[in-house]
Amino acid sequence: MLRVAIQKSGRLTEESLELMHECGIDFAKSGGKLKALAYNFPVEFLFLRDDDIPEYVADGVADVGIVGENVIAEEHSALQQPVEIIERLGFSRCRLSLAVPRGTPYSSVHDLQGKRIATSFPNILRRFLATHNICAEIHEISGSVEIAPSIGLAEAICDIVSSGSTLLSNGLQEVETVFHSEAVLIARPLSADKQKIVDDLRFRIQSVGRAKHNKYIILNAPSESLPAIIQLLPGIKSPTITPLATSGWNAVHSVVPEDTFWEIIGKLKEAGAKGILVVPIEKMIL
Ligand code: PRT
Ligand code: ZN
């Protein structure tokens, strides 16, 4: 039995639960309960505050956990036992940025020399400032960091930014990105039987992730266009080609990556492809 820590209620919760569902792991999560046992996979879920997850994993209360990379980067050095990132999960993307009141002259990170900076992430900020040889006063506060300059607590802040609207509405401008973050799966060193369950869980997570980053594509093409089309559609191994009832025409099936998708579609049309269908993939196992 593997114990998996998930944020109880917050920005990571919904997508963490959705990921488990996509991995085919079912369980009943009822309201305020702190634990849930999966029906069809040897895991038990613990629902915790995100800040507590690294420590619970390090201490062995949980075996693995889903947290924001910013949380593990912040707490890593204070943990008694080693905890590692074993999988990047691609959701809850955000960045930790430095911001100053709009209108403050700012040309480089050296403008922060000797300034007071408010943050909830003192360790990440300290490392960033050290790599740039900046000496600044770090004021650790646990919430509402964005109001620190307006109440005279600091000249700059270092906080999580996603859309940027919080900074904007507080009259702040983003000046440096300190850290890029996404949800990650963390783990401590595990016994062989638990490691086997983690490997299976990672295999499922990777199959789900790969499927999200690729599309299944079906198109019709005249035989003379096939060499060019095959070049554009490498697929998992190579595209499937089947003849149509109309002679000289073929159906081509393949897989295309999401990020180059539109570019490839344009080139396929130029190469003579017709009737292009694009279908989402549910799982992709290599
Ligand atoms: O209660 P618990 O301690 O479990 O949760 P929490 O309130 O500490 O964390 P939560 O749920 O807010 O965030 C969990 C994780 O989500 C964080 O550790 C990040 O990895 C990630 N994440 C992604 C974010 C954001 N986006 C985000 N926008 N965490 C916080 N914010 C906040 C930010 O602090 C700022 O106040 O949203 C504001 C900025 O958002 P924009 O869109 O206005 O730029
Ligand atoms: Zn928290």
Side-chain angles (χ1 to χ4, degrees):
M1 176 75 62
L2 189 78
R3 289 181 141 192
V4 181
I6 285 183
Q7 189 186 23
K8 186 170 191 299
S9 156
R11 290 172 201 265
L12 298 166
T13 310
E14 205 181 302
E15 279 169 289
S16 301
L17 296 178
E18 173 66 18
L19 176 63
M20 292 303 117
H21 174 71
E22 287 169 332
C23 287
I25 302 173
D26 299 324
F27 61 96
K29 183 179 188 278
S30 58
K33 272 220 182 139
L34 294 181
K35 286 200 224 175
L37 207 57
Y39 311 130
N40 53 0
F41 196 73
V43 298
E44 180 175 43
F45 294 102
L46 305 182
F47 300 104
L48 304 167
R49 283 200 54 194
D50 69 339
D51 318 68
D52 295 337
I53 291 177
E55 205 171 320
Y56 278 125
V57 172
D59 293 350
V61 175
D63 301 307
V64 299
I66 297 178
V67 284
E69 200 177 347
N70 50 300
V71 171
I72 185 71
E74 178 62 26
E75 296 182 22
H76 200 264
S77 52
L79 297 174
Q80 302 296 322
Q81 305 292 328
V83 167
E84 259 192 82
I85 294 176
I86 56 165
E87 201 65 57
R88 313 185 75 80
L89 303 175
F91 61 86
S92 291
R93 286 183 193 277
C94 58
R95 55 196 187 272
L96 192 63
S97 288
L98 280 156
V100 297
R102 224 178 2 255
T104 308
Y106 186 93
S107 54
S108 81
V109 70
H110 297 283
D111 292 332
L112 297 169
Q113 191 72 33
K115 296 284 178 347
R116 293 170 303 165
I117 310 174
T119 189
S120 308
F121 296 91
N123 293 326
I124 301 178
L125 177 59
R126 198 171 293 118
R127 289 196 291 267
F128 175 85
L129 294 174
T131 54
H132 291 87
N133 290 318
I134 307 293
C135 264
E137 221 178 279
I138 299 176
H139 283 255
E140 182 177 353
I141 52 177
S142 59
S144 305
V145 174
E146 64 278 0
I147 63 165
S150 65
I151 59 170
L153 185 70
E155 287 84 37
I157 67 159
C158 177
D159 199 12
I160 294 177
V161 182
S162 162
S163 66
S165 66
T166 303
L167 292 185
L168 195 70
S169 61
N170 284 280
L172 299 166
Q173 56 173 339
E174 195 174 349
V175 290
E176 304 283 344
T177 305
V178 171
F179 188 80
H180 287 277
S181 179
E182 66 185 279
V184 292
L185 185 68
I186 56 169
R188 64 191 173 88
L190 295 169
S191 61
D193 52 336
K194 287 194 178 198
Q195 188 59 47
K196 204 166 165 300
I197 307 172
V198 174
D199 291 344
D200 192 359
L201 179 64
R202 285 184 65 195
F203 172 77
R204 293 185 185 202
I205 290 172
Q206 287 165 4
S207 305
V208 169
R210 229 178 266 127
K212 280 189 182 155
H213 290 116
N214 288 279
K215 300 268 180 235
Y216 191 73
I217 183 165
I218 308 157
L219 56 87
N220 292 336
S223 300
E224 63 271 20
S225 302
L226 284 181
I229 288 175
I230 290 169
Q231 279 243 308
L232 290 166
L233 293 176
I236 296 181
K237 198 169 182 100
S238 65
T240 309
I241 318 267
T242 38
L244 293 189
T246 310
S247 106
W249 279 81
N250 311 273
V252 180
H253 294 228
S254 194
V255 169
V256 285
E258 175 96 78
D259 51 353
T260 50
F261 175 73
W262 287 109
E263 197 185 316
I264 292 178
I265 294 287
K267 289 184 180 160
L268 287 171
K269 281 171 68 186
E270 273 172 35
K274 297 268 183 294
I276 304 173
L277 295 182
V278 179
V279 186
I281 300 171
E282 198 181 297
K283 307 277 186 303
M284 190 164 151
I285 294 139
L286 295 182

PDB file of all heavy atoms in Angstrom, residues 7 49-52 71 75 142, ligand 2:
ATOM      1  N   GLN A   7      -3.120  17.846  -1.941  1.00  0.00           N
ATOM      2  CA  GLN A   7      -3.604  19.056  -1.255  1.00  0.00           C
ATOM      3  C   GLN A   7      -5.093  18.910  -0.942  1.00  0.00           C
ATOM      4  O   GLN A   7      -5.885  18.516  -1.801  1.00  0.00           O
ATOM      5  CB  GLN A   7      -3.363  20.298  -2.124  1.00  0.00           C
ATOM      6  CG  GLN A   7      -3.635  21.583  -1.367  1.00  0.00           C
ATOM      7  CD  GLN A   7      -3.546  22.816  -2.253  1.00  0.00           C
ATOM      8  OE1 GLN A   7      -3.695  22.734  -3.466  1.00  0.00           O
ATOM      9  NE2 GLN A   7      -3.306  23.967  -1.642  1.00  0.00           N
ATOM     10  N   ARG A  49      -2.535  20.102   3.892  1.00  0.00           N
ATOM     11  CA  ARG A  49      -2.166  21.437   3.390  1.00  0.00           C
ATOM     12  C   ARG A  49      -0.904  21.300   2.551  1.00  0.00           C
ATOM     13  O   ARG A  49      -0.005  20.542   2.907  1.00  0.00           O
ATOM     14  CB  ARG A  49      -1.906  22.386   4.563  1.00  0.00           C
ATOM     15  CG  ARG A  49      -3.173  22.872   5.214  1.00  0.00           C
ATOM     16  CD  ARG A  49      -2.896  24.129   5.997  1.00  0.00           C
ATOM     17  NE  ARG A  49      -2.260  25.142   5.150  1.00  0.00           N
ATOM     18  CZ  ARG A  49      -1.660  26.232   5.614  1.00  0.00           C
ATOM     19  NH1 ARG A  49      -1.613  26.456   6.904  1.00  0.00           N
ATOM     20  NH2 ARG A  49      -1.116  27.103   4.783  1.00  0.00           N
ATOM     21  N   ASP A  50      -0.825  22.061   1.486  1.00  0.00           N
ATOM     22  CA  ASP A  50       0.313  21.877   0.572  1.00  0.00           C
ATOM     23  C   ASP A  50       1.669  22.084   1.245  1.00  0.00           C
ATOM     24  O   ASP A  50       2.603  21.337   1.010  1.00  0.00           O
ATOM     25  CB  ASP A  50       0.174  22.768  -0.683  1.00  0.00           C
ATOM     26  CG  ASP A  50       0.325  24.252  -0.393  1.00  0.00           C
ATOM     27  OD1 ASP A  50       0.147  24.662   0.776  1.00  0.00           O
ATOM     28  OD2 ASP A  50       0.620  24.996  -1.340  1.00  0.00           O
ATOM     29  N   ASP A  51       1.751  23.078   2.146  1.00  0.00           N
ATOM     30  CA  ASP A  51       3.028  23.371   2.813  1.00  0.00           C
ATOM     31  C   ASP A  51       3.510  22.209   3.684  1.00  0.00           C
ATOM     32  O   ASP A  51       4.696  22.101   3.965  1.00  0.00           O
ATOM     33  CB  ASP A  51       2.891  24.604   3.729  1.00  0.00           C
ATOM     34  CG  ASP A  51       2.088  25.692   3.083  1.00  0.00           C
ATOM     35  OD1 ASP A  51       0.859  25.489   2.902  1.00  0.00           O
ATOM     36  OD2 ASP A  51       2.662  26.715   2.739  1.00  0.00           O
ATOM     37  N   ASP A  52       2.566  21.367   4.137  1.00  0.00           N
ATOM     38  CA  ASP A  52       2.940  20.263   5.029  1.00  0.00           C
ATOM     39  C   ASP A  52       3.383  19.025   4.251  1.00  0.00           C
ATOM     40  O   ASP A  52       3.998  18.118   4.821  1.00  0.00           O
ATOM     41  CB  ASP A  52       1.738  19.870   5.914  1.00  0.00           C
ATOM     42  CG  ASP A  52       1.345  21.005   6.855  1.00  0.00           C
ATOM     43  OD1 ASP A  52       2.211  21.858   7.137  1.00  0.00           O
ATOM     44  OD2 ASP A  52       0.175  21.028   7.293  1.00  0.00           O
ATOM     45  N   VAL A  71       6.950  24.980  -3.591  1.00  0.00           N
ATOM     46  CA  VAL A  71       6.880  24.561  -2.186  1.00  0.00           C
ATOM     47  C   VAL A  71       8.057  23.640  -1.849  1.00  0.00           C
ATOM     48  O   VAL A  71       8.727  23.821  -0.829  1.00  0.00           O
ATOM     49  CB  VAL A  71       5.520  23.875  -1.884  1.00  0.00           C
ATOM     50  CG1 VAL A  71       5.514  23.249  -0.501  1.00  0.00           C
ATOM     51  CG2 VAL A  71       4.383  24.879  -2.013  1.00  0.00           C
ATOM     52  N   GLU A  75      11.209  24.391   0.740  1.00  0.00           N
ATOM     53  CA  GLU A  75      11.350  23.639   1.989  1.00  0.00           C
ATOM     54  C   GLU A  75      12.474  22.612   1.967  1.00  0.00           C
ATOM     55  O   GLU A  75      12.855  22.078   3.004  1.00  0.00           O
ATOM     56  CB  GLU A  75      10.021  22.935   2.312  1.00  0.00           C
ATOM     57  CG  GLU A  75       8.896  23.916   2.573  1.00  0.00           C
ATOM     58  CD  GLU A  75       7.592  23.219   2.953  1.00  0.00           C
ATOM     59  OE1 GLU A  75       7.628  22.063   3.405  1.00  0.00           O
ATOM     60  OE2 GLU A  75       6.545  23.849   2.769  1.00  0.00           O
ATOM     61  N   SER A 142       3.619  35.606   5.643  1.00  0.00           N
ATOM     62  CA  SER A 142       2.985  34.373   5.187  1.00  0.00           C
ATOM     63  C   SER A 142       1.851  34.580   4.183  1.00  0.00           C
ATOM     64  O   SER A 142       1.447  33.652   3.521  1.00  0.00           O
ATOM     65  CB  SER A 142       2.492  33.567   6.386  1.00  0.00           C
ATOM     66  OG  SER A 142       1.589  34.355   7.107  1.00  0.00           O
TER      67      SER A 142
HETATM   68 ZN    ZN B   2      -0.107  26.543   1.715  1.00  0.00          ZN
END
